[in-house]
Amino acid sequence: MLLIFDEWLYHDLLGGENRLGAVQFIFALSETKDQIIILKNSPFHKKWRELIDNSPLSDSPQKMIRGMLLTGFELDPDKIVYFEDSDIKNIKIPRKIKVKPDDAYLVKLALLKREAILITTDTPLFSGLKSIKVNVVMRDDFIKSYTVKKIT
């Protein structure tokens, strides 16, 4: 399975409203053959790198998360599929959906890799992508079903 995340994962792993769920999800994901799609230098990629490069080592939960992201993903060439801006620059977003400029890269990745699932907390983005038949799931629904399936 190919997965695309918006920035909720960063915020949750950093100590957001669903930190435990995000940690359980990342752990379950690291144990599968599922892959993350990341656009290099995108807002998500910058925050992903920040979690790995700048997490304080004195914060035990952050140290554990940093280690999991590093060993479970960054050092495993099969876990992350990277794309460049040039890979998505010619992809057109249908005019019938409204997309915030910061989210355009997510939509383009989802259109490029139609088999991927975009996981979001953004209700307008979710609705817009559903209307053009893109695989999109709200974070809470996805994490619940993913961690239950993968852990049990």
Side-chain angles (χ1 to χ4, degrees), residues 19-36:
R19 187 181 212 180
L20 179 60
V23 169
Q24 289 173 334
F25 166 69
I26 283 293
F27 179 75
L29 177 60
S30 72
E31 298 292 311
T32 71
K33 293 189 185 300
D34 296 341
Q35 297 175 301
I36 300 172

Side-chain angles (χ1 to χ4, degrees), residues 26 32 35 56 62 68 74 94 96 101 113 117 126 134 150:
I26 283 293
T32 71
Q35 297 175 301
Q62 279 310 114
M68 196 180 328
E74 283 294 312
K96 73 182 216 173
K113 300 303 281 181
I117 300 169
F126 172 83
V134 168
K150 302 298 179 186

Side-chain angles (χ1 to χ4, degrees), residues 2 4 37 83 87-97 99 103-118 125 128-136:
L2 294 170
I4 302 168
I37 293 176
F83 287 93
D87 296 318
I88 63 168
K89 75 176 183 181
N90 294 325
I91 295 178
K92 303 289 184 228
I93 297 173
R95 289 185 181 175
K96 73 182 216 173
I97 66 168
V99 177
D103 292 338
Y105 78 96
L106 295 166
V107 175
K108 289 181 174 191
L109 283 173
L111 291 169
L112 176 69
K113 300 303 281 181
R114 285 285 194 166
E115 69 275 24
I117 300 169
L118 193 152
L125 179 63
L129 290 174
K130 274 289 189 199
S131 75
I132 60 168
K133 310 266 187 280
V134 168
N135 292 321
V136 60

